[in-house]
Amino acid sequence: MLAPALIFAAMVLPFGAALAQSKQEVVVQRAGAQKPTAGPAQNFTGKVEVTGRFQGTPPARIGGGTVSFEAGARTAWHTHPLGQTLMVTQGVGRVQHWGGETQEIRPGDIVWIPPGVKHWHGASPASAMTHIAISESLDGKTVDWMEHVSEQQYGR
Ligand code: MN
């Protein structure tokens, strides 16, 4: 039979850990508080703007931002160590994994890119596209960049 003190500890310690975590404060990042940043030419083709970047505090690994691509703009080929979720909010876009068909994506579509899968995403040739991008970091890293997507690969 367990000693009463052990039973007490088993009941109270998890509650204590929850209390310690609850001391962190809720953070509201206000709309427009962040300046948009341009997607660097090294990793993107065309004009790309990132707003609303966010990053969870450890042990959370989640982070991301809202990415807007002008018509014809796209990422370079890349992978994410723990995968990525894209939620399209505006326009018409495209996504493709290496060796797969290019797929059209539209507002409301949710795309899952599995860990380590080489892919690109961006706008369609005739329409801009905005998506929210969410990924978890592994050892502080969320993306490994590769070569640009050629005009032929992009499909025009
Ligand atoms: Mn990606």
Side-chain angles (χ1 to χ4, degrees), residues 2-111:
L2 285 172
L6 276 179
I7 294 170
F8 178 78
M11 289 171 65
V12 168
L13 284 180
F15 185 62
L19 271 183
Q21 283 184 3
S22 73
K23 283 177 185 168
Q24 291 201 39
E25 292 180 358
V26 168
V27 176
V28 178
Q29 185 186 156
R30 295 295 172 190
Q34 243 184 52
K35 279 187 181 166
T37 55
Q42 192 181 346
N43 304 330
F44 295 89
T45 300
K47 193 179 172 199
V48 178
E49 210 173 69
V50 184
T51 60
R53 293 176 309 281
F54 64 94
Q55 182 63 58
T57 50
R61 300 173 158 198
I62 198 164
T66 301
V67 190
S68 296
F69 301 79
E70 283 198 345
R74 67 265 188 184
T75 68
W77 290 100
H78 62 285
T79 61
H80 304 282
L82 294 181
Q84 183 180 48
T85 301
L86 305 175
M87 306 174 81
V88 183
T89 57
Q90 286 180 60
V92 184
R94 292 180 170 185
V95 63
Q96 182 188 23
H97 67 257
W98 187 257
E101 295 291 312
T102 300
Q103 299 189 65
E104 190 173 275
I105 50 176
R106 292 176 173 275
D109 290 349
I110 301 172
V111 181

Side-chain angles (χ1 to χ4, degrees), residues 75-76 78-80 83-84 86 113 117 119-121 131 133 143 145:
T75 68
H78 62 285
T79 61
H80 304 282
Q84 183 180 48
L86 305 175
I113 294 139
V117 170
H119 70 287
W120 64 269
H121 32 107
H131 65 45
V143 59
W145 289 108

